[in-house]
Amino acid sequence: MRFGEELVSERVPEWASKYLDYKTGKRYIHAVAEAIHKADSGHAPPPQQVPSRPESRESHVASPTDLEAGESVEPPRYGPYARVHNDESYSNPNSRHGSRAASPSPSPGRPASAALPRLDVAGLGVNQYQEQPRERLVEAVMGRDTEEQPPQRHASSAPRRMMTRRQRALTAIASSVPFNAVRNRLFDSANQPLNPTDPVEKAKNDFIQFMMGELDKVEEFYRTKEQEAGKRLQLLREQLYEMRNRRGDDAFRSDIGKKGFGDPASQGLLGRVRESVIEMTSFSKSSSTKHSPGARDRPPLPPTPILTALPSQRRRDFVPKVVIDEDVSYPEAKRKLKVALHEFYRTLNLIQSYAALNRTAFQKLNKKYDKNARVSEKLEFVRHFVDKAAFVKSTVIEDHMRTTEDLFARYFERGDTKAAMTKLRSRTALRDTETMSNFSNGLLVGFGFVFSVQGLISAVRFLFDDDLDGDKQKVVSSHLQIYAGYFLMLVMGWLFVLICRLWSKHKVNYKFVFEFDPRHSLDWRKLAQFPSLFTLMFGAAFWLNFSAEFGGDVMFLWYPVVLIGATLLVLLLPLPVFHHQSRLWFATAHWRLLMAPFYSVEFRDVFLGDIYSSLRYPFANTELFFCVYIEGWDEPERCGSSRSRLMAFLGTLPFVWRAIQCLRRYYDTRDVFPHLANCLKYLIAIGSVVALSEYRINGSEMTLSFFISLSTLSTIYSSYWDIYMDFRLAQKKAPNYLRDILAFDSTWWYYAAVGLDPILRMTWVGFVIFKGVQHSSIVTFVVALIEVFRRGMWAVFRVENEHCVNIAQNKASRDIPLPYRIEVQHVD
């Protein structure tokens, strides 16, 4: 794998813009190589004359007819001929463009100034015989001089400081290195002034300026993350101290309580004495500072800040997981702090990887430049600038990692540092370990597909067999509706797995968007084990039900129950088998969806509610399932949509959940837009479903008109919300009228989503066109299947948009809530 591909593969997706732009650097190097090649071949135009120095050398070899009397032929300045022209070429200090190739000596008939003109280095006015001040090194490499050529600022830009932090740092670096020495090594021209109008010199200067700009970007971002890590470590350390103190306080109180002490107010003098003893001996903050082990080495630390929603987050339909409990128990605090330390350690690993990848990228570009520019002194830029930068020299992150390991071992592993390091380092699955998963998934899907096709063929034969009993045909029709609901949920599961594959390919960090635990999150290959197993179960039940007819007439009725029961058993099995942590996350997400009013809304709640809003068909068929098994199979048609309003109610449940989530967001933020506006969208959708149910029952034309009006309004409203709010596309000031940051390379994907979303939302027109059979199961199933695929497309760009928001905020780690609110004054 080439390093450019490795850099894209290994970098943190949310920090992609903060890495060294390796592709652009290669373009600059290509420009240098091309300029040298043209100069060597003689196709390059002569360099323009510097205004202050009208004399300049000719860039081509003079022919004998062009020479005056007594003037010798000037050897070529570039290429291999310049190296071997004479024996003095290797010792001549006046070399240019290449591996110390000699430049021609001044001709006898020419003045010395014509051979060695005094040229500027990007307007610096550097004389070849003068040693420049060391402080001008930064300005030289940046190609800027504050006295002669002040930088031209944009009209809207803020005024710059006289010297930035990076300039002061690099000036300090330059104080130990002579200016001419570094300049000569970077441009490989000993004591030879640089001509900024020469194509070769200009290309080299552009490359150096690019490298300095990228170094500034990387250095500034690294220092920012380093400072944030230091502050976070202080907060975590203070939280751990507080946990230890409260544990000792609770233990002491419980021990005294066991000895018969009651309320201090009711115990009189004895109660007040007991409280005084507790205050003096408990592990409070003041006493622990004096008496706890290691307290003398502990510096004063700031308190845990009270986290509130940012102004930009108030307008979002969910909020990151932020919970602060005033009276948290010790086990709960221990669990939260353990997760917080895990996430902090993972963040430190990301910062460390960021620094290592950028140093390697600078080194690779420097090597490519040395090779193409024919520089004899190798890796001088890396040696004099990159290796002295903070992201290479600093050991702060390594110290933070050791401190975190020590804290984790001390508080959670009884001092076992090795066990702490093992648990802190998240497991990273290799591609080689997924071979067995891929094989098993393919095997399960293959058998399930064959069984499903065979079962479907047999079921169709039952429906159109005139010799078959009419009651059994009704049972087969009801069975097919139940299986169809299961099939739609299975299709949605497979779509999610394939979308995860798409996100992984394009570096969309969906695991971070959903706030998966990195220790237990599943790769898309392992995630595919669930729909693969359910595909086999579905195909086997389908085949046994209709083709094999295994078990006779009794089992013929109960195969759907067996299938649904086995599926729930796999998902809710309370045993540590078959990815139990992921199944627990899945069950918890559904519990939060059912209890929507009592939980703050997170992204997984919003996403799951919207997914189920496109699965109205399985929800509505829940009424059919219980009706036929409770009321009996004598008249299954009485459980259909043309007679049951309960089916419509169950079909509106996902919209009700989402509307409640919007109301909860309004309760938390008091912002009318977008939360109440989003709630109105789901209320209109509920009205559309109810109108369709009433039309199926009574067949009134007025009800049909009401259904068409509400469905049209819902389509327009929902399509606008999808495009402008969920996808954040069609922005006027953005490139291509899409969005400033895009995760997918092809813009046609976004244009297709903008065009297809409103079209696929108009599938309700099928109920109007086929109004003679508006209650037909086939029409309903086709409309539901199209809606499932539309929701899959929605999921792609919904998560991609959240990923781009994280990129804009450079957010690559979770905000794990800390258990304690510690009131301590900040020290400036």
Side-chain angles (χ1 to χ4, degrees), residues 409 413 415-424:
E413 296 298 331
D416 191 346
T417 306
K418 184 177 180 180
M421 293 174 62
T422 303
K423 292 187 177 181
L424 283 174

Side-chain angles (χ1 to χ4, degrees), residues 343 346 496 500 510-522 527 585 604 814:
E343 185 64 19
R346 190 183 73 87
F496 183 76
C500 288
Y510 67 93
K511 297 180 181 180
F512 176 63
V513 172
F514 287 106
E515 298 189 21
F516 291 154
D517 191 341
R519 299 170 297 167
H520 310 295
S521 61
L522 300 180
L527 189 63
W585 185 94
R604 61 175 174 178
R814 296 184 296 165

Side-chain angles (χ1 to χ4, degrees), residues 78-100:
Y78 309 109
Y81 296 103
R83 301 185 185 181
V84 297
H85 182 68
N86 53 46
D87 296 334
E88 299 177 356
S89 59
Y90 294 98
S91 60
N92 192 348
N94 301 324
S95 59
R96 306 183 56 167
H97 310 316
S99 300
R100 304 263 177 206

Side-chain angles (χ1 to χ4, degrees), residues 360-493:
T360 305
F362 276 111
Q363 194 173 24
K364 293 284 185 180
L365 280 184
N366 202 164
K367 285 183 178 180
K368 287 181 178 292
Y369 172 79
D370 295 341
K371 179 180 178 181
N372 288 271
R374 306 170 188 172
V375 177
S376 59
E377 299 291 340
K378 306 299 182 183
L379 297 176
E380 289 300 311
F381 184 87
V382 171
R383 221 171 281 157
H384 289 284
F385 293 100
V386 178
D387 287 348
K388 297 180 181 180
F391 70 93
V392 175
K393 290 184 62 178
S394 177
T395 60
V396 173
I397 298 300
E398 287 77 4
D399 295 340
H400 288 346
M401 295 179 72
R402 286 192 292 270
T403 303
T404 306
E405 293 166 359
D406 179 68
L407 290 174
F408 194 89
R410 186 188 311 168
Y411 286 94
F412 303 112
E413 296 298 331
R414 298 182 178 181
D416 191 346
T417 306
K418 184 177 180 180
M421 293 174 62
T422 303
K423 292 187 177 181
L424 283 174
R425 294 171 182 173
S426 59
R427 298 187 299 269
T428 55
L430 301 177
R431 293 184 178 180
D432 296 340
T433 61
E434 304 297 338
T435 303
M436 194 61 192
S437 299
N438 295 337
F439 176 76
S440 61
N441 292 340
L443 194 64
L444 295 176
V445 172
F447 279 111
F449 178 77
V450 172
F451 286 146
S452 300
V453 172
Q454 184 63 33
L456 180 61
I457 294 174
S458 300
V460 172
R461 287 177 180 174
F462 281 147
L463 288 177
F464 295 98
D465 189 359
D466 297 333
D467 299 333
L468 191 65
D469 186 11
D471 293 338
K472 192 169 185 178
Q473 287 183 338
K474 294 179 181 178
V475 173
V476 172
S477 178
S478 300
H479 274 16
L480 286 177
Q481 294 183 55
I482 297 174
Y483 282 123
Y486 189 96
F487 174 76
L488 288 178
M489 301 189 75
L490 188 60
V491 170
M492 183 64 79

Side-chain angles (χ1 to χ4, degrees), residues 579-746:
H579 310 304
H580 67 286
Q581 292 290 348
S582 299
R583 292 188 291 107
L584 178 61
W585 185 94
F586 186 75
T588 304
H590 282 77
W591 174 256
R592 292 176 58 88
L593 183 64
L594 292 174
M595 299 296 166
F598 307 105
Y599 291 95
S600 59
V601 184
E602 300 175 6
F603 180 80
R604 61 175 174 178
D605 307 328
V606 173
F607 187 85
L608 190 61
D610 283 331
I611 287 293
Y612 279 136
S613 67
S614 295
L615 292 172
R616 298 190 303 273
Y617 187 92
F619 274 87
N621 280 347
T622 305
E623 187 271 343
L624 173 65
F625 177 81
F626 286 101
C627 179
V628 295
Y629 281 101
I630 293 175
E631 299 293 335
W633 293 91
D634 297 334
E635 295 181 5
E637 63 274 3
R638 65 184 176 182
C639 300
S641 60
S642 59
R643 297 187 181 183
S644 174
R645 288 185 172 87
L646 180 59
M647 184 174 287
F649 170 75
L650 294 175
T652 59
L653 276 182
F655 296 123
V656 173
W657 291 333
R658 284 295 289 122
I660 293 175
Q661 288 176 348
C662 295
L663 293 176
R664 175 56 192 257
R665 287 293 293 136
Y666 171 73
Y667 174 80
D668 293 338
T669 63
R670 302 299 178 181
D671 290 335
V672 175
F673 186 86
H675 307 307
L676 292 186
N678 198 14
C679 180
L680 178 61
K681 179 186 71 173
Y682 294 107
L683 294 179
I684 296 174
I686 292 173
S688 175
V689 174
V690 172
L692 177 61
S693 176
E694 289 297 321
Y695 171 64
R696 286 174 169 175
I697 294 174
N698 55 42
S700 172
E701 292 295 329
M702 181 178 296
T703 309
L704 177 62
S705 301
F706 192 58
F707 165 70
I708 294 175
S709 301
L710 286 178
S711 298
T712 303
L713 180 60
S714 177
T715 299
I716 297 174
Y717 201 155
S718 300
S719 299
Y720 172 84
W721 200 272
D722 287 346
I723 296 171
Y724 286 93
M725 300 299 294
D726 290 345
F727 302 163
R728 297 185 188 275
L729 298 177
Q731 298 180 7
K732 294 182 180 180
K733 297 182 180 180
N736 301 320
Y737 298 98
L738 294 175
R739 201 194 305 133
D740 292 332
I741 302 176
L742 301 176
F744 302 127
D745 298 331
S746 178

